[in-house]
Amino acid sequence: MRIDKWLWHARFFKTRTLAAAIVSAGHVRINSVKASKPAQGIAPGDVLTFMQGDHVRVVRVLAHGVRRGPATEAQTLYEDMTPAREDVPSVPQPQDGGRPTKRDRRIFDLDRRRMLE
């Protein structure tokens, strides 16, 4: 199966054209060898390494896809070998008390008017 078609079937990229562009640009490796063209074939057992968003994905191909189905079906096509990211921040905490209240905003507006006078 073509690598661009498999990446699209496995739902790593939204369109097949985008998957082909990533492969053509040389951003995908098959078994640590740079993929040269989108029509390059892959087989079950191959390990793919590519950038998705801002982090590197490493996946092992388990099967070929017959169609681009739902996400649960797509997840059966690969085994995710990407190392866990430790630098992922938790829920962002508001600084300085978060958004100003209505009362705080009124005080701020009054102070700003006084500075302009």
Side-chain angles (χ1 to χ4, degrees):
M1 176 176 249
R2 293 173 55 116
I3 187 169
D4 62 336
K5 196 171 184 179
W6 187 87
L7 288 169
W8 177 64
H9 278 213
R11 293 185 165 266
F12 287 111
F13 296 100
K14 194 169 187 172
T15 64
R16 186 169 165 195
T17 305
L18 182 59
I22 296 295
V23 175
S24 296
H27 299 300
V28 179
R29 293 181 177 269
I30 303 172
N31 298 325
S32 71
V33 177
K34 196 176 283 192
S36 58
K37 54 188 177 178
Q40 190 164 345
I42 59 169
D46 288 344
V47 176
L48 305 179
T49 307
F50 56 93
M51 289 292 292
Q52 186 179 28
D54 61 343
H55 63 282
V56 177
R57 297 290 303 258
V58 180
V59 296
R60 175 173 285 131
V61 178
L62 297 179
H64 292 301
V66 179
R67 66 186 183 112
R68 187 172 196 260
T72 54
E73 185 178 314
Q75 289 171 352
T76 63
L77 300 178
Y78 63 91
E79 173 189 353
D80 195 3
M81 299 168 43
T82 306
R85 292 177 51 179
E86 296 175 7
D87 62 339
V88 177
S90 61
V91 178
Q93 299 296 323
Q95 296 177 356
D96 301 330
R99 288 183 63 167
T101 63
K102 193 172 188 177
R103 181 175 180 270
D104 293 339
R105 186 69 186 173
R106 285 183 189 143
I107 292 170
F108 176 74
D109 287 342
L110 283 173
D111 288 343
R112 191 167 56 183
R113 280 190 214 130
R114 286 183 192 146
M115 286 183 2
L116 293 175
E117 290 177 350

